Amino acid sequence: MAKTTPNTSTTATGDAARIHELRELLTRANTAYYADAAPFMSDQEFDALLAELASLEDAHPELFDANSPTQRVGGAALEGEFATRRHRVPMLSVDNTYSVEEMRAWYQRCADALGAGAGGGTGGGTGGDLGGLFALPAGPALFADPKVDGLAISLRYEDGALVEAVTRGDGEKGDLVTANVRAIRAIPLALRAPKTAQWGGIPRVLEVRGEIFMPVREFERINAEREKHGEQLFANARNSCVGTLKNKDPKVVASRRLSFVAHGRGEGEGLPALAAHSEFVAYLKELGVPVSAIGGRLASVDEAARTIEDFAGKRESLDFAVDGMVVRIDRFDEQEKLGFTAKSPRWAVAFKYPAEQKETVLEKVEWQVGKGGTITPRATMRPVFVAGSTVKHATLHNIEEIQRRDLRIGDHVIVEKAGEIIPQVVRAVVEKRTGDEKPIEPPTACPVCQGEVEREGPKLFCTNPMCSARFRERLKWFVGRDQMNIDGLGEEIVDALVDAGLVKDFADVFTLDAVAVARALAKGDKALAEIEKKGPGKRATGIVESAADAARHRGLTRVLAGLGIKHVGASAAKTLARRFRSADELLAATEEDLLALNDFGEVTAKSVAAWLRSTDATHVFAALAKAGVDLASHEPKPVEAGANAFAGKTFVVTGTLERFDRGAVTELLERAGAKVAGSVSKKTSAVVAGAEAGSKLAKAQELGVEIWDEARLVEELAKAGLA
Ligand SMILES: [Zn+2]
């Protein structure tokens, strides 16, 4: 892909700077995609930059960093109140490829490593007619199925019953979402007994890996409904699916028809002898687990190439988003021989279809003010039809992105849809420049309030806390689902209430008078009249009192998450509310107190401290308290180090315990205040060793780390009031 790479110095210091830059950029892109559901980089560009980083890191082993984006599987675990579970078998991601040639090269490498020819399975050569005597050596057979764009999940069945569902998370551990997953009708709660003897009975243990996804029609239905209720729309089916599964109420999950397709396996016990993935898929079908209707076993790499080409044309007509095809070596013994790299299997590759691209003209750039005062550039383009809809606008993310892509007003630009829905400006068509193009200048004052603009890294902020644009966006965030969750106060209604001057600060939401709202909505300005015509105005009058009443009691964590304090989201809010039990305690906190918190770095601590000292903070809390909003923490109190045998210590669990499975013991230890680590080191406080403990026990003995048996664990848990 043609693009400018401003920093391609070949000197060692140039490489070091580039490595640092790429790690930072990719980490940011990853967070934006996985945690914030606000991608700013196409998958293709991400993978290209990741490949560049990987090759630079290969050349500079001295710059190794375990936190580099090349050193992990996928995104961070979803934030929320779900318990986390460690995967017994890690959920690895599959390497991407964008061309059939690359796919063929991958196949050749596999064939070479297996000592087989790549002649192409059983169908190779006319020699086959002569009883195989002169046949080309057969290459390994393949299996291909669509790469559905959803949420990866591991389903654990014990004696045929669904006992656990865990999201992929970071590949090592994910969120325990069993209750929600049970609400998805596509997922069987119990496995079906195989009909034929060859498959044996119900397996003792089977972990099915697959993808939960939202069918396109369901996505459209939900968005239409959200629009009617004045709620924020989902950007695409994948976000909608993730948002649904993160919902704490399984009833909501059940009301949205999510679907599921299986594509792999984790732990298994008591399975019939299965020689290949194709047999495993047939077995799943027999057990009543949904598998893809498209794809299957392929005898040769030529067949795989044909399947990929055929499928490209069918993608658009499917009722679910597919971004590629996963091609894998079919036989398990061959998979085993090929093995794994640090982050992915060598025996599989994901062929990704390129996003559809179109050329248009960049007409103008406006700067918009968001909830944190962030000022972001939004492009207006000559309308162009891309991948199923007309595109006119796209975010340009920030001034550095604009400079990195060297975009100018009047440029011919290439746009594509990332994740099928969100349009992105990929690059300028430099060859078509006439010299009349104008550079894009960052604003020197806030475009809404004319307030002072501050620059922090690539981002621009309006520093005026009273900026009306800032407040409006902060308010939309504050009343949102994951914050105060004031149902029904959608974007339109918030805009109307702010425009009418009925809401000037957060606390006003709780003291709105339904009659005043009704009057304002009925006779107010044009925007309000419009809303009234559409219906949600009537609804607003009804929801104001009941919804705000409920929201009064959500507690400090939700309030903090909703205030739009820079660097404070749901998890930082939780950390704060665990340590500081009320708004008053928090107001008295010093920067040192904040720095001492788990997961608080210097940047977050400084930002929170500065906000706490601002008049905004004292004013907000006083006004909310006056409106009757509960500003006390509802979080469980942290266990103080030394309070029991676990708090503040690091434990490693190994071997099989009689009374607990691995997930349960991890949860208990964490609740008791311990950290649970995966490997034994000098920092390990104690190792809990069950039956058949192996190398970790040996390592603990070698290092002289304290060793507990299960009886000791039970005894100490009982003392801590946990067993
Ligand atoms: Zn402003």
Side-chain angles (χ1 to χ4, degrees):
M1 224 168 49
K3 61 179 178 295
T4 51
T5 41
N7 201 346
T8 47
S9 158
T10 50
T11 67
T13 45
D15 284 354
R18 182 63 178 157
I19 286 174
H20 179 79
E21 184 184 38
L22 284 171
R23 283 175 181 166
E24 196 273 331
L25 180 66
L26 291 171
T27 302
R28 202 148 42 80
N30 215 39
T31 310
Y33 188 89
Y34 286 101
D36 304 331
F40 64 80
M41 195 183 272
S42 74
D43 293 355
Q44 241 166 311
E45 184 173 11
F46 185 96
D47 290 325
L49 292 175
L50 191 67
E52 184 191 345
L53 177 59
S55 79
L56 281 171
E57 285 179 343
D58 276 350
H60 294 280
E62 77 280 10
L63 297 174
F64 175 82
D65 181 349
N67 291 325
S68 169
T70 55
Q71 301 299 314
R72 61 190 211 161
V73 174
L78 294 173
E79 284 184 355
E81 287 155 27
F82 297 106
T84 56
R85 278 279 186 280
R86 188 161 286 280
H87 294 295
R88 291 168 177 87
V89 179
M91 287 183 81
L92 300 175
S93 61
V94 174
D95 279 340
N96 291 328
T97 174
Y98 295 95
S99 73
V100 170
E101 289 68 44
E102 276 175 36
M103 199 260 300
R104 285 180 186 278
W106 160 80
Y107 183 79
Q108 187 62 54
R109 283 196 301 279
C110 290
D112 290 349
L114 293 170
T122 49
T126 48
D129 296 333
L130 303 171
L133 199 58
F134 301 105
L136 291 167
L142 294 165
F143 187 97
D145 57 358
K147 189 171 182 300
V148 177
D149 198 12
L151 183 77
I153 193 100
S154 181
L155 307 172
R156 184 176 176 87
Y157 290 89
E158 287 180 6
D159 299 318
L162 176 66
V163 292
E164 255 182 32
V166 183
T167 61
R168 182 208 293 273
D170 62 4
E172 295 290 328
K173 55 181 181 179
D175 285 334
L176 185 65
V177 291
T178 318
N180 279 351
V181 162
R182 286 177 68 93
I184 299 170
R185 285 163 65 179
I187 293 175
L189 296 179
L191 298 176
R192 185 170 65 188
K195 278 194 256 7
T196 42
Q198 72 169 115
W199 299 118
I202 294 279
R204 165 68 200 107
V205 174
L206 176 62
E207 283 181 6
V208 178
R209 267 84 193 265
E211 208 78 6
I212 292 175
F213 65 94
M214 181 172 284
V216 174
R217 231 173 306 148
E218 180 64 5
F219 165 68
E220 284 165 355
R221 183 189 72 79
I222 289 167
N223 258 358
E225 207 157 89
R226 290 174 80 85
E227 191 165 24
K228 213 165 70 192
H229 294 155
E231 293 170 310
Q232 202 179 340
L233 302 187
F234 288 117
N236 58 43
R238 185 183 183 278
N239 293 351
S240 177
C241 175
V242 173
T244 301
L245 213 70
K246 273 174 76 178
N247 198 291
K248 314 241 156 68
D249 184 0
K251 275 197 234 89
V252 173
V253 184
S255 77
R256 298 178 184 169
R257 272 143 289 175
L258 294 179
S259 196
F260 171 76
V261 62
H263 56 50
R265 65 175 190 175
E267 203 173 50
E269 202 185 306
L271 303 187
L274 298 165
H277 187 75
S278 51
E279 285 178 20
F280 176 65
V281 168
Y283 178 57
L284 286 180
K285 244 188 208 170
E286 192 74 12
L287 295 173
V289 178
V291 293
S292 176
I294 302 160
R297 186 176 180 280
L298 303 166
S300 69
V301 71
D302 291 334
E303 263 190 52
R306 261 198 307 279
T307 305
I308 284 171
E309 261 166 51
D310 286 351
F311 187 58
K314 291 184 195 140
R315 250 170 13 117
E316 296 261 313
S317 61
L318 296 175
D319 192 31
F320 49 92
V322 173
D323 57 3
M325 281 208 120
V326 175
V327 183
R328 70 187 93 205
I329 300 294
D330 192 34
R331 290 190 59 89
F332 288 139
D333 55 354
E334 290 175 343
Q335 289 186 4
E336 211 165 292
K337 246 192 213 167
L338 291 165
F340 299 86
T341 67
K343 67 182 193 74
S344 46
R346 286 204 184 85
W347 41 264
V349 73
F351 178 89
K352 289 192 114 185
Y353 293 102
E356 193 186 332
Q357 297 192 334
K358 285 282 174 66
E359 187 179 316
T360 183
V361 175
L362 176 58
E363 291 180 332
K364 65 174 178 180
V365 173
E366 288 160 307
W367 295 84
Q368 296 184 316
V369 187
K371 82 176 151 61
T374 37
I375 303 175
T376 49
R378 177 186 192 237
T380 300
M381 293 161 296
R382 190 177 294 162
V384 61
F385 195 77
V386 191
S389 69
T390 302
V391 171
K392 195 167 187 288
H393 298 290
T395 174
L396 297 177
H397 309 295
N398 60 52
I399 187 68
E400 275 183 15
E401 284 295 311
I402 291 173
Q403 286 160 354
R404 196 167 69 82
R405 296 184 158 94
D406 186 27
L407 299 174
R408 301 176 196 177
I409 311 263
D411 262 341
H412 284 256
V413 290
I414 302 295
V415 285
E416 71 173 31
K417 275 191 190 164
E420 306 289 321
I421 303 286
I422 302 169
Q424 302 277 346
V425 176
V426 180
R427 64 182 172 92
V429 185
V430 182
E431 322 68 280
K432 289 202 176 168
R433 283 203 175 137
T434 61
D436 292 337
E437 296 76 14
K438 293 191 190 69
I440 299 164
E441 303 288 354
T444 50
C446 170
V448 174
C449 72
Q450 308 307 318
E452 216 175 292
V453 171
E454 191 181 86
R455 184 156 174 179
E456 189 181 291
K459 288 184 177 171
L460 300 170
F461 294 91
C462 166
T463 56
N464 173 12
M466 305 311 288
C467 176
S468 68
R470 279 186 65 176
F471 174 67
R472 183 182 300 250
E473 295 310 312
R474 286 177 70 186
L475 184 62
K476 285 176 189 170
W477 175 259
F478 183 71
V479 302
R481 193 167 286 267
D482 294 328
Q483 290 72 247
M484 296 309 278
N485 192 14
I486 304 184
D487 193 24
L489 272 189
E491 292 202 15
E492 273 183 309
I493 294 172
V494 167
D495 281 337
L497 294 175
V498 173
D499 287 341
L502 283 171
V503 178
K504 293 200 181 77
D505 61 40
F506 294 129
D508 288 344
V509 170
F510 299 95
T511 51
L512 274 174
D513 173 63
V515 179
V517 174
R519 203 180 296 136
L521 292 177
K523 67 166 190 181
D525 61 37
K526 223 165 110 195
L528 292 172
E530 273 300 301
I531 287 163
E532 179 63 12
K533 250 189 277 164
K534 284 191 210 156
K538 287 199 192 86
R539 196 176 137 77
T541 61
I543 58 95
V544 165
E545 279 171 285
S546 62
D549 258 354
R552 270 197 187 98
H553 309 293
R554 300 205 203 283
L556 187 59
T557 310
R558 295 287 204 104
V559 172
L560 288 175
L563 289 177
I565 306 163
K566 214 193 276 180
H567 304 304
V568 178
S571 85
K574 208 181 211 179
T575 305
L576 286 169
R578 277 205 189 123
R579 167 70 177 75
F580 306 102
R581 311 301 299 173
S582 68
D584 287 338
E585 265 188 45
L586 179 61
L587 281 170
T590 63
E591 195 176 315
E592 289 68 43
D593 292 337
L594 296 166
L595 260 174
L597 292 172
N598 260 349
D599 3 294
F600 262 49
E602 207 173 318
V603 175
T604 313
K606 271 207 161 67
S607 156
V608 175
W611 181 77
L612 288 171
R613 282 193 302 269
S614 72
T615 48
D616 189 40
T618 34
H619 171 81
V620 162
F621 285 139
L624 287 173
K626 201 173 155 213
V629 176
D630 180 5
L631 297 176
S633 170
H634 297 182
E635 298 296 330
K637 281 197 178 156
V639 185
E640 279 182 31
N644 58 38
F646 305 95
K649 296 184 180 169
T650 304
F651 280 74
V652 172
V653 183
T654 181
T656 312
L657 300 176
E658 261 172 47
R659 296 189 31 171
F660 316 93
D661 70 25
R662 193 56 63 84
V665 77
T666 302
E667 194 179 315
L668 282 167
L669 288 168
E670 283 173 354
R671 265 173 57 199
K675 253 190 211 157
V676 180
S679 59
V680 179
S681 73
K682 279 184 197 154
K683 287 184 189 156
T684 310
S685 315
V687 170
V688 177
E692 288 157 43
S695 61
K696 288 179 192 175
L697 177 60
K699 181 91 186 276
Q701 284 162 338
E702 185 192 317
L703 292 174
V705 171
E706 195 174 321
I707 294 159
W708 291 15
D709 58 11
E710 186 165 353
R712 172 84 190 276
L713 173 70
V714 172
E715 187 189 323
E716 295 292 353
L717 282 172
K719 279 193 214 158
L722 284 165

